Amino acid sequence: MSESQERLHHRHLEQAREQIIDLLTRQAVERELVSRSEGNSRQDVVAQLVARQQQAQLEQKLAQLHPADVAFILESLPPDAREAAWGLVRPERRGAVLLEINEAVLRALLGDMRPEEIAAVVRHLDSDDIAELLTELPEELSQEVLVRLDRDDQAEVRSVLSFPENSVGSMMDLDFLSVREDASLEAVLRLLRRQKSLPPEINQLIVMDRGGHLRGVLSLEQLLLSEPEREVKDVMTADPTYFYTGDAIADAVTAFEKYDLISAPVVNLHKQVVGRITVDAVVDAINERAQSESLRQVGLSEEEDLFAPAMESAKNRWPWLALNLLTAFVASRVIGAFEGIIVQLVALAALMPMVASIGGNTGNQTVALVIRGLALNQLGPTQLRKMFSKEFTIATVNGSLWGSVLGLATLALYHQWPLALVIAAAVLLNLWVAAAAGVLIPLTLQRFGRDPVMGSSVLLTACTDSMGFFIFLALAAVFLV
Amino acid sequence: MSESQERLHHRHLEQAREQIIDLLTRQAVERELVSRSEGNSRQDVVAQLVARQQQAQLEQKLAQLHPADVAFILESLPPDAREAAWGLVRPERRGAVLLEINEAVLRALLGDMRPEEIAAVVRHLDSDDIAELLTELPEELSQEVLVRLDRDDQAEVRSVLSFPENSVGSMMDLDFLSVREDASLEAVLRLLRRQKSLPPEINQLIVMDRGGHLRGVLSLEQLLLSEPEREVKDVMTADPTYFYTGDAIADAVTAFEKYDLISAPVVNLHKQVVGRITVDAVVDAINERAQSESLRQVGLSEEEDLFAPAMESAKNRWPWLALNLLTAFVASRVIGAFEGIIVQLVALAALMPMVASIGGNTGNQTVALVIRGLALNQLGPTQLRKMFSKEFTIATVNGSLWGSVLGLATLALYHQWPLALVIAAAVLLNLWVAAAAGVLIPLTLQRFGRDPVMGSSVLLTACTDSMGFFIFLALAAVFLV
């Protein structure tokens, strides 16, 4: 990223975006006018001139922006305008823009390009960045792009691609600067001065032995504050935080958060340095996790493009919709089994959704707490026992209290003491179900190697609905009819 | 943070935590034994010796850990063990540990301390860190601690506390290094060598004029790569990203993410440098936002301590529980209005929750998408219109499809064509309600200056439940009876 690119303040960015959208919309209108007035060649020429001028204006505007801002603008444009804007991004900047763009829009943009076009665009990027982009492409297309790269790039990209998706290896940066233990700081300073630039987010040099094994790190701070005559090994940090290529990204994120790291070396199983990870990648990882959490809870796994074709989005939602329908059907059959009692006491039909709803609501609160506990790694066996007993206490307190409130409301409406008692008891029992399900559903998903967030809210509601109806109607069948 | 503190790998940390919990539990048992065998003085002495030895062992273990790891351990301990462990943290390290700990646990720990004790603990911290801790305390206690600090600290802390809670000013670091434009790099290097250490997360020096106005930044990279004879103004970045004290933290977070910043200067309205913000504070801010999002969606606002007293947590959940009960009551009254029809056709009672449930499920998916769009600042007027029409298209596709599936299932169960048609139509209509409510609820919350996430899922379900019951039963009343 050159320093001359404009980094826009939030308010200015919004302005710039609106301007660009405005220009693009006007262009579309002009084009329409041109095509309508095809007979009239004079108007045609004028309109074309205006359009070309606006085009040039837009292209220049986009060229001045930071790639991240261009990405942001592309993400917020509807598909037709987005494609027009993409055409105006200068070819040599396209790779940098693609790196900043979200998955769904990335796929939409690359979907229309031929392998050799994609290869030409990504060629200017670092090999780890190329690998990152390729993982977003369909396997076949990704291979076709790969074979069109330079031989050296190919090898490096392949090596990055060989690491599992959620491993530190897959997100590391291959670019690092290393020095030897026995060098003097003076020599290191000279070495640096011969470089044109340093790898981004560099705050430390990696100290390796001849075999490439990690010996320590030399922070730029230590380098600047110490006397130049001293040797690297006297001022370096000999026990830095480092990661293995196979470590989980989540663990690296936790370490960066806790120890306020800027960058850290990545080593292979022989403790040879193979790369480093930097805080900007960590920030991206946290952000991705944060953005997708509430989506996953309602069963949306794919990062959905706000403007993906509606049919595609509709299909995306089918699996969990089908599951929801199935579980709702089960709940409906539970009620069906008690139809005889409902006919005798129709008030039951009106009251039963309340029991289900209050269970769903409190159960989802428990789910949210458990998911957070799991994400923070705070639920060991001891804590789990504590949490279980606490959620049951809360369910007992709230079930008794709000069950009574609901009982009194029922009494006021239907003037039947037994009915009031049954609904109060049903609320308490269903809150116990909600507490148990709220803790167990995310834990069970995790135990079976699934994402504890994915669809947890759908599953919880299924539990509390069916059980809520069952408890209430069964109690009614026993005590009321 | 001294370099000698151990930074633990995830796996080791879990081990250490289990060991400490284990030791603390054993201690509790020993204490009980001692109190039971109070007559027998010989056993008493032995038990006390064992306990003291374990105490010393624990204290040493904790002293070797990074403050962030100590905080993590304290967070995962139940209250009694936590207090015992807190007593073993050396006084001079307590401030650093408190900075890393979550809100709920912080309050629990500080709640038991007197103002002069707290003042003694925080005295070793930087003034911005002291301010951060004081904002977590009750106003009165915070004032009492404040007056017990040194005069200089007091002034600085008060100035930080004067910034609004979500402003860059409230999270900035007051510690920065500045140089003049006309200094030579050689002079800057000499200046640095006279320092004992640099402020944390430093990657650039701030270039100011005599009046303290921001002129640019000099990155350590530029300093290291350029010839020492050159002047600061020739190699500095003259238009760096900077923030005003009044800028929103959210905007700073966005800028750090987009431009991969490590630190940035903070200026007052006269563009005089008053501090800087660093990426570690930004990582904390992102993380806090991420952790609280799914909690807020179900109406849990306070960062809840996993081990806060159950009664307190139960009360925390009352406001939204009450709202949920109220809206469920409304839904129940909707059904109550149709009791006459349900008595005539009891199948309605069994089928109606399906219509409500599928509406709630798909509506919550829309809510999750809109909340993400809002968080990413991607919903301008143009995008909103697009999104609205897209969600309606999806609702139409999925409503027709899954409404038909449900209609066929109903036909198979009850052999009544009209009933099947009514439920299919009701599903489609309720999905339209869900699409509209899913977009409008978060937007309306935001328009009225509320948090668009807070309770959105509770409100959505209220809508889709009531409307689902109403649509289905009203259609049945018109077409079936």
Side-chain angles (χ1 to χ4, degrees), chain B residues 140-450:
Chain B
E140 208 178 315
L141 180 56
S142 142
Q143 285 304 325
E144 284 187 59
V145 174
L146 195 50
V147 296
R148 281 174 175 81
L149 298 175
D150 305 335
R151 200 166 290 271
D152 285 359
D153 275 351
Q154 268 191 50
E156 282 192 0
V157 170
R158 273 185 216 282
S159 106
V160 174
L161 285 177
S162 69
F163 294 109
E165 201 183 334
N166 286 314
S167 68
V168 165
S170 73
M171 84 185 287
M172 73 182 171
D173 207 326
L174 299 174
D175 222 13
F176 60 89
L177 264 181
S178 67
V179 292
R180 289 279 148 75
E181 280 181 281
D182 50 9
S184 71
L185 298 187
E186 181 70 55
V188 173
L189 287 168
R190 269 202 314 273
L191 171 88
L192 286 179
R193 243 168 246 147
R194 279 202 302 270
Q195 311 282 323
K196 275 224 179 95
S197 71
L198 297 180
E201 272 82 43
I202 203 161
N203 69 324
Q204 56 186 18
L205 307 177
I206 293 173
V207 185
M208 308 194 307
D209 63 17
R210 258 161 229 286
H213 301 91
L214 178 66
R215 304 290 302 167
V217 295
L218 176 68
S219 71
L220 298 190
E221 173 178 350
Q222 291 157 334
L223 180 60
L224 284 166
L225 300 193
S226 312
E227 290 305 319
E229 298 77 38
R230 300 185 68 184
E231 281 190 6
V232 168
K233 65 168 167 296
D234 299 328
V235 294
M236 73 177 188
T237 306
D239 56 347
T241 306
Y242 62 91
F243 299 92
Y244 291 102
T245 51
D247 281 346
I249 288 183
D251 291 344
V253 167
T254 310
F256 268 74
E257 271 168 29
K258 278 207 301 202
Y259 306 133
D260 297 339
L261 306 176
I262 304 292
S263 72
V266 178
V267 300
N268 63 18
L269 287 174
H270 309 293
K271 232 186 144 179
Q272 287 166 315
V273 181
V274 290
R276 57 187 189 116
I277 55 174
T278 52
V279 69
D280 61 309
V282 169
V283 167
D284 290 347
I286 299 180
N287 229 27
E288 227 167 81
R289 191 181 65 190
Q291 282 169 29
S292 65
E293 181 144 314
S294 50
L295 289 182
R296 283 180 295 148
Q297 218 169 333
V298 290
L300 293 177
S301 64
E302 286 292 305
E303 189 170 327
E304 239 196 51
D305 176 4
L306 271 183
F307 306 105
M311 258 321 281
E312 214 170 275
S313 303
K315 274 194 207 155
N316 254 341
R317 302 187 194 176
W318 281 356
W320 286 93
L321 206 59
L323 180 67
N324 173 239
L325 212 64
L326 198 73
T327 58
F329 192 75
V330 172
S332 156
R333 287 304 84 211
V334 169
I335 301 171
F338 293 93
E339 279 180 1
I341 294 131
I342 295 176
V343 170
Q344 290 174 56
L345 188 57
V346 70
L348 296 177
L351 295 172
M352 64 186 186
M354 286 204 279
V355 178
S357 162
I358 201 169
N361 185 272
T362 57
N364 271 319
Q365 293 184 330
T366 307
V367 165
L369 284 170
V370 173
I371 287 176
R372 195 187 52 158
L374 289 174
L376 296 180
N377 249 312
Q378 285 186 340
L379 290 182
T382 330
Q383 294 87 332
L384 213 54
R385 264 197 308 280
K386 284 259 170 192
M387 171 146 201
F388 234 121
S389 83
K390 183 179 157 190
E391 287 300 313
F392 270 98
T393 314
I394 296 178
T396 311
V397 172
N398 283 344
S400 312
L401 178 72
W402 297 97
S404 307
V405 170
L406 208 51
L408 289 176
T410 304
L411 190 66
L413 277 170
Y414 295 97
H415 311 290
Q416 300 185 28
W417 265 106
L419 185 59
L421 288 175
V422 161
I423 198 166
V427 166
L428 175 59
L429 290 173
N430 202 28
L431 286 201
W432 283 344
V433 170
V439 175
L440 289 178
I441 286 174
L443 285 181
T444 311
L445 286 172
Q446 199 183 44
R447 177 88 24 117
F448 287 98
R450 312 224 149 222

Side-chain angles (χ1 to χ4, degrees), chain A residues 142-407:
Chain A
S142 143
Q143 285 303 324
E144 284 187 61
V145 174
L146 195 50
V147 296
R148 282 173 174 81
L149 298 175
D150 306 335
R151 199 166 290 272
D152 284 358
D153 274 352
Q154 268 192 49
E156 281 192 1
V157 170
R158 273 186 216 282
S159 105
V160 174
L161 285 177
S162 69
F163 294 109
E165 201 184 333
N166 286 313
S167 69
V168 166
S170 73
M171 84 185 289
M172 72 182 173
D173 207 325
L174 299 174
D175 221 12
F176 59 91
L177 265 182
S178 67
V179 292
R180 289 279 147 74
E181 280 180 282
D182 50 8
S184 70
L185 298 187
E186 182 71 56
V188 173
L189 287 168
R190 270 202 314 272
L191 171 88
L192 286 179
R193 245 169 244 146
R194 280 201 301 270
Q195 311 282 323
K196 274 224 179 96
S197 70
L198 296 181
E201 273 82 43
I202 204 161
N203 68 325
Q204 56 185 18
L205 308 177
I206 293 173
V207 184
M208 306 195 309
D209 63 18
R210 260 161 228 287
H213 302 91
L214 178 66
R215 303 290 302 165
V217 296
L218 176 69
S219 70
L220 297 191
E221 174 178 350
Q222 292 158 334
L223 180 60
L224 284 165
L225 301 192
S226 312
E227 290 304 321
E229 299 77 37
R230 301 185 68 183
E231 283 191 4
V232 168
K233 66 168 167 294
D234 299 328
V235 294
M236 73 179 188
T237 306
D239 56 346
T241 306
Y242 62 91
F243 299 92
Y244 290 101
T245 51
D247 281 346
I249 288 183
D251 291 344
V253 167
T254 310
F256 268 73
E257 271 167 30
K258 277 208 300 202
Y259 306 134
D260 296 339
L261 306 176
I262 303 292
S263 72
V266 178
V267 300
N268 64 18
L269 286 174
H270 309 293
K271 233 185 144 180
Q272 288 166 314
V273 181
V274 291
R276 57 186 189 116
I277 54 175
T278 53
V279 69
D280 62 308
V282 169
V283 167
D284 290 349
I286 300 180
N287 229 28
E288 228 168 79
R289 191 181 65 191
Q291 281 170 29
S292 65
E293 181 144 315
S294 50
L295 290 182
R296 283 180 294 148
Q297 219 169 331
V298 291
L300 294 177
S301 64
E302 287 292 305
E303 189 170 328
E304 238 195 51
D305 177 5
L306 272 183
F307 307 105
M311 257 322 280
E312 213 170 276
S313 303
K315 275 196 207 155
N316 254 342
R317 303 187 193 175
W318 282 356
W320 286 93
L321 206 58
L323 180 67
N324 175 239
L325 212 64
L326 199 74
T327 59
F329 192 74
V330 171
S332 157
R333 288 304 83 212
V334 169
I335 301 170
F338 292 94
E339 279 180 0
I341 293 131
I342 294 175
V343 171
Q344 290 176 55
L345 188 57
V346 71
L348 296 177
L351 295 172
M352 63 187 187
M354 287 205 278
V355 178
S357 162
I358 200 169
N361 184 273
T362 57
N364 271 320
Q365 294 184 329
T366 307
V367 165
L369 284 170
V370 173
I371 286 175
R372 194 187 52 158
L374 288 174
L376 296 181
N377 250 312
Q378 285 186 340
L379 291 181
T382 329
Q383 292 88 333
L384 214 53
R385 264 197 308 280
K386 284 259 169 193
M387 172 148 201
F388 235 121
S389 83
K390 183 180 157 189
E391 288 299 313
F392 270 97
T393 313
I394 296 177
T396 310
V397 171
N398 283 345
S400 311
L401 178 71
W402 297 97
S404 306
V405 170
L406 207 51

